[in-house]
Amino acid sequence: MKSSKVKKEKRNRRHARIRAKISGTKDLPRLSVFKSNKNISAQIIDDDKAKTLVSAHLREVKGKTMMEKSAKVGEIIAEKALAKKIKTVVFDRGGFIYTGNVKALADGARKGGLQF
């Protein structure tokens, strides 16, 4: 059985590999996803200025399952981004596998009008 420390190290390595290739700019910011066992959050970040432009968290939504809530977080972040005239982003899955809640968040953001 793998310890949580090993799992975190592996995720951090995957995330570093992804971040070496992906960077957010003013014209094309980065949509960063963080997931824990109980929560999921997303931020749209301008890496040039090191500023978070928009953020959304699971606490802002209501729903029955984690998948429904994740999709709503995606829709909320898209809504907030469009209000700030951000239409296109680069997706950063944060070292997490692109299934389940991460995919639901991405699909919700696409449904809300973001392009990536």
Side-chain angles (χ1 to χ4, degrees), residues 1-11 13:
M1 186 167 162
K2 292 183 181 178
S3 69
S4 63
K5 189 174 183 181
V6 172
K7 284 184 177 184
K8 286 179 185 177
E9 287 174 5
K10 286 181 121 181
R11 186 189 79 81
R13 268 189 258 134

Side-chain angles (χ1 to χ4, degrees), residues 56-114:
H57 193 274
L58 191 73
R59 286 174 285 194
E60 301 174 25
V61 298
K62 302 253 189 264
K64 290 193 176 195
T65 66
M66 185 71 166
M67 292 284 275
E68 289 174 7
K69 292 176 186 177
S70 298
K72 287 186 181 183
V73 169
E75 290 175 21
I76 287 173
I77 195 115
E79 182 182 308
K80 288 180 177 181
L82 292 174
K84 288 204 170 191
K85 298 182 178 159
I86 301 168
K87 296 176 184 154
T88 311
V89 295
V90 177
F91 189 70
D92 174 12
R93 60 188 174 90
F96 299 104
I97 299 170
Y98 187 79
T99 58
N101 295 321
V102 175
K103 185 176 188 297
L105 189 141
D107 291 341
R110 283 190 190 102
K111 183 180 172 188
L114 277 181

Side-chain angles (χ1 to χ4, degrees), residues 9-56:
E9 287 174 5
K10 286 181 121 181
R11 186 189 79 81
N12 286 336
R13 268 189 258 134
R14 282 193 306 269
H15 193 198
R17 217 171 31 238
I18 292 166
R19 287 286 290 120
K21 299 171 189 169
I22 294 174
S23 177
T25 62
K26 183 181 179 208
D27 299 327
L28 196 64
R30 175 171 59 100
L31 173 59
S32 177
V33 175
F34 179 77
K35 175 181 79 99
S36 70
N37 288 340
K38 294 181 180 180
N39 294 307
I40 192 162
S41 63
Q43 296 179 329
I44 296 182
I45 303 166
D46 176 4
D47 287 318
D48 291 341
K49 293 182 180 176
K51 285 217 168 190
T52 299
L53 307 172
V54 180
S55 67

